[in-house]
Structure formats: C-alpha cells, structure tokens
Amino acid sequence: MTTWRRLVPIIPARNIRASAEHYRDLLGFEIVHIEPEYGILRRGPSELHLWGPSGIAPERSNTMLRVEVDGIDDLYAECQRLNIVHPNAPLHREAWGTREFAIRDLDGNLITFFSHEE
C-alpha cells in the first residue's frame, strides 16, 4: 500500500531570486536552494519550489495554492500588517467549514490559507 507523505507545489516566477526573497521576507520561508531557473523554499514541513523565469505577467497568472495552517488568526493579522491580503479575499468562513483568506505573490499566484479551526 502506498502512503502519500506530502505534496510540493512548483509555481512560476518571473525572477527566482526576487520571488524567493519575497517569500522569505513576508512569509518567513528559508531559502534552501536558488539558481537562475529554480528555487526551493522551506517553512517547517512545507516546501515551495519556484521555476522560471516564467514570463507570465502577474495579471495573467492563474496559479492557485491552498495551504492548511494552524493559527490562522495570527497569520491573517501578520498579512494585514504587511498589507498583502487580497482585497477580495479577507478572512471569512466558507460553507464547507473552513476559515480562509488569500494573498497574491509578486507573480500574481493566488495563495489561500485555510484552517478547520473554530
């Protein structure tokens, strides 16, 4: 029987170094590896990989990620302080029982943070 251990998303970036620094500075990721066309970031057990340069304009990106977190209220407060919460996606409760909010990164990728917390 196969057991899935984790998924590691790979998202487009126009500039790997600038995007890696953005995730490091705003969301606390550690830059594990960086080269002109690929980057690996880690925060706790989560990894995020960047590929590029993508050439995709931020307003044309349709890449979306969902990240489950504990302590969503603290993360939301931090993202509000940094003014990076997507204007159409403040913290709210969904009909399927999650609380969530979203941000966009430098490349227009939409990242939705969600929690099953009450």
Side-chain angles (χ1 to χ4, degrees):
M1 177 179 184
T2 301
T3 301
W4 288 45
R5 301 205 22 112
R6 65 183 170 144
L7 294 172
V8 178
I10 303 171
I11 63 172
R14 291 169 297 143
N15 179 307
I16 300 299
R17 180 165 302 282
S19 291
E21 290 170 354
H22 176 81
Y23 279 94
R24 179 196 64 205
D25 297 345
L26 295 181
L27 295 174
F29 277 83
E30 169 193 0
I31 299 173
V32 175
H33 176 80
I34 196 163
E35 57 188 64
E37 296 181 2
Y38 205 80
I40 299 173
L41 308 167
R42 185 177 298 133
R43 179 172 175 173
S46 298
E47 277 190 12
L48 180 63
H49 292 209
L50 306 169
W51 67 270
S54 71
I56 301 169
E59 63 275 6
R60 306 263 314 162
S61 176
N62 60 8
T63 300
M64 295 180 276
L65 306 173
R66 291 183 58 80
V67 180
E68 185 173 12
V69 299
D70 292 327
I72 196 165
D73 292 307
D74 292 338
L75 180 59
Y76 183 66
E78 180 66 13
C79 289
Q80 279 186 308
R81 186 183 70 71
L82 295 167
N83 198 29
I84 60 174
V85 174
H86 190 287
N88 297 331
L91 185 61
H92 64 284
R93 185 171 298 281
E94 289 289 356
W96 49 86
T98 59
R99 294 178 63 225
E100 52 190 69
F101 73 94
I103 66 171
R104 284 209 184 267
D105 70 6
L106 293 176
D107 296 289
N109 301 307
L110 184 70
I111 302 160
T112 301
F113 297 101
F114 72 96
S115 176
H116 291 282
E117 299 172 1
E118 291 301 316

